Amino acid sequence: MSVTPSPVAGPERPLEAPETERMRRWRVVLIALGVGLLVVAAVTLLNDIPPSRYLGIAVWLVGALIIHDGIAAMIVFGVAVLLRRTGGRIPFAVLAIVQGAIVVAVIVSVLFIPEIIKKHIGTANPTVLPLDYLLNLGVFYVVLAAVTAGAIVLCLRMLKRREADPQESSERG
């Protein structure tokens, strides 16, 4: 006697979307493209970079991995967990906007922090780092927060309008 699995999702069996042939082809194309880019990068590294610089490149890659996986990803994950604990009251689109803003803030911070540290240490030539990078980063955060808040308000208005007139949204979609 054979039992067919139930398509109902549950804790022991998550509901999965069926994989189509089109998805499989795209997956193969994207994997091949990624492998091709890795080969080009490896050939470029071996041909254009002297071996004495390999250690510096390895240190940079480890630092990038630590910043991405150890700091940035944990911040985005933590904020997502906190926002999702609101019991589903926050729409997914708003969560995506907030996560996108956090990602942008982390990327810009990673770009600004070396300048802030070096300016604090000091340079032999004051024209090398002429700006107040800490102030500029603060201004950027304020502008990013304002743009994010505006995007959230706009998104919530659109969602409210869609809920108020479901007939209109079904005709458009």
Side-chain angles (χ1 to χ4, degrees):
M1 175 169 165
S2 140
V3 178
T4 28
S6 169
V8 178
E12 68 282 341
R13 184 172 188 75
L15 186 60
E16 295 177 7
E19 185 174 329
T20 64
E21 184 62 32
R22 184 177 177 193
M23 255 199 306
R24 214 169 291 124
R25 275 186 266 143
W26 270 107
R27 187 174 293 143
V28 168
V29 167
L30 291 173
I31 289 171
L33 183 65
V35 169
L37 288 173
L38 284 172
V39 169
V40 168
V43 168
T44 302
L45 175 73
L46 294 173
N47 287 336
D48 296 347
I49 307 295
S52 62
R53 309 255 338 249
Y54 290 172
L55 180 62
I57 292 170
V59 168
W60 187 91
L61 288 172
V62 168
L65 182 68
I66 290 169
I67 289 171
H68 178 272
D69 292 350
I71 299 171
M74 292 300 127
I75 292 171
V76 172
F77 177 73
V79 169
V81 167
L82 289 175
L83 290 177
R84 288 177 191 224
R85 293 219 175 201
T86 61
R89 293 181 294 234
I90 297 177
F92 178 75
V94 172
L95 181 64
I97 291 169
V98 171
Q99 285 178 330
I102 292 169
V103 168
V104 170
V106 169
I107 290 170
V108 171
S109 297
V110 167
L111 295 174
F112 268 72
I113 288 174
E115 285 85 2
I116 293 169
I117 292 171
K118 185 60 180 166
K119 178 124 180 161
H120 179 73
I121 293 171
T123 60
N125 183 351
T127 62
V128 172
L129 297 171
L131 304 176
D132 186 354
Y133 297 99
L134 186 60
L135 175 65
N136 290 343
L137 184 60
V139 169
F140 174 80
Y141 286 153
V142 169
V143 170
L144 180 64
V147 169
T148 303
I152 290 171
V153 167
L154 183 64
C155 177
L156 291 175
R157 284 185 184 169
M158 289 173 55
L159 290 173
K160 188 178 281 188
R161 188 177 302 151
R162 192 173 288 166
E163 286 176 3
D165 193 7
Q167 179 66 26
E168 181 183 327
S169 64
S170 67
E171 289 173 2
R172 276 188 268 159

